[in-house]
């Protein structure tokens, strides 16, 4: 059921930031985004959610979806994902018809993370977890073979990414908005400079 009558309710812009493999909400990019959003005028400040993602892909995505269902307006929703978080962001953007910003994303984590089988340690919390066959099976179920609305995606890659091949991402997000920067690395060194563009893409007003 929608809102009847001529009045259109103003949707609150929501941004959900999804960190990468072995990362956390304490990562540099998550912190920079949080600081940037906090500095915006209250009238234009979006709702920002930066969850600590579970190690198991299915649990991580289900947790984010539960929060979105309870707290976000799908009409003004943008997922921002880095690396593995970009893969999750793509799955969720397709599920919700939302926008997504992908930062040096993995498009095939079930291949890219094969070398990470076994016990891993979170770089920020020190917590240990084991990567098993179940992780890869869950990652495959989240795959988006082809994005349906390229104009709702904004890809940011650096050609110096030492972990992933940026050309695979360019091909996967063909037709999307794309920013390709020479040099850099997998952390995406130009992130702070691109925050205004990311916020504008998410529909945040008044960003210079």
């Amino acid at each position: 059921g929608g809102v009847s009558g001529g009045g259109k309710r103003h949707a609150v812009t929501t941004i959900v930031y999804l960190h990468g493999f072995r990362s956390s909400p304490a990562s540099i990019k998550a912190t920079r985004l949080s600081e940037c959003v906090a500095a915006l005028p209250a009238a234009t400040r979006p709702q920002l959610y930066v969850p600590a993602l579970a190690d198991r892909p299915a649990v991580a995505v289900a947790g984010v979806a539960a929060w979105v269902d309870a707290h976000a307006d799908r009409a003004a929703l943008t997922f921002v994902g880095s690396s593995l978080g970009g893969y999750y962001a793509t799955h969720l953007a397709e599920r919700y018809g939302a926008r997504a910003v992908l930062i040096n994303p993995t498009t095939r984590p079930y291949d890219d993370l094969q070398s990470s089988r076994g016990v891993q340690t979170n770089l920020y919390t020190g917590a240990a977890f084991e990567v098993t066959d179940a992780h890869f099976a869950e990652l495959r179920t989240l795959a988006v073979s082809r994005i349906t609305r390229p104009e709702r995606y904004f890809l940011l890659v650096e050609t110096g990414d030492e972990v992933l091949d940026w050309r695979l991402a360019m091909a996967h997000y063909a037709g999307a908005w794309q920013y390709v920067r020479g040099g850099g690395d997998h952390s995406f060194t130009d992130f702070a400079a691109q925050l205004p563009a990311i916020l504008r893409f998410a529909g945040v007003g008044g960003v210079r």
Side-chain angles (χ1 to χ4, degrees), residues 8 10 33 56 102-103 105 149-150 153 166 175 200:
K8 190 171 188 300
H10 178 69
L33 176 61
R56 287 287 291 267
L102 305 317
I103 302 149
R149 295 170 67 186
Y153 290 85
W166 58 276
R200 282 195 299 269

Side-chain angles (χ1 to χ4, degrees), residues 27-28 65 81 112 114 122 130 139 164 183:
S27 72
I28 293 170
D112 296 330
Q114 286 293 338
N122 187 290
E130 188 172 2
L139 287 170
L164 300 171

Side-chain angles (χ1 to χ4, degrees), residues 92-104:
L92 288 161
E94 290 291 327
R95 181 188 299 194
Y96 287 104
R99 294 189 185 99
V101 178
L102 305 317
I103 302 149
N104 281 342

Side-chain angles (χ1 to χ4, degrees), residues 18 53 55-57 60-61 84-93 139 142:
L18 305 175
L53 297 172
D55 304 319
R56 287 287 291 267
V61 168
L84 180 59
Y87 183 77
Y88 293 161
T90 302
H91 172 86
L92 288 161
L139 287 170
L142 298 172

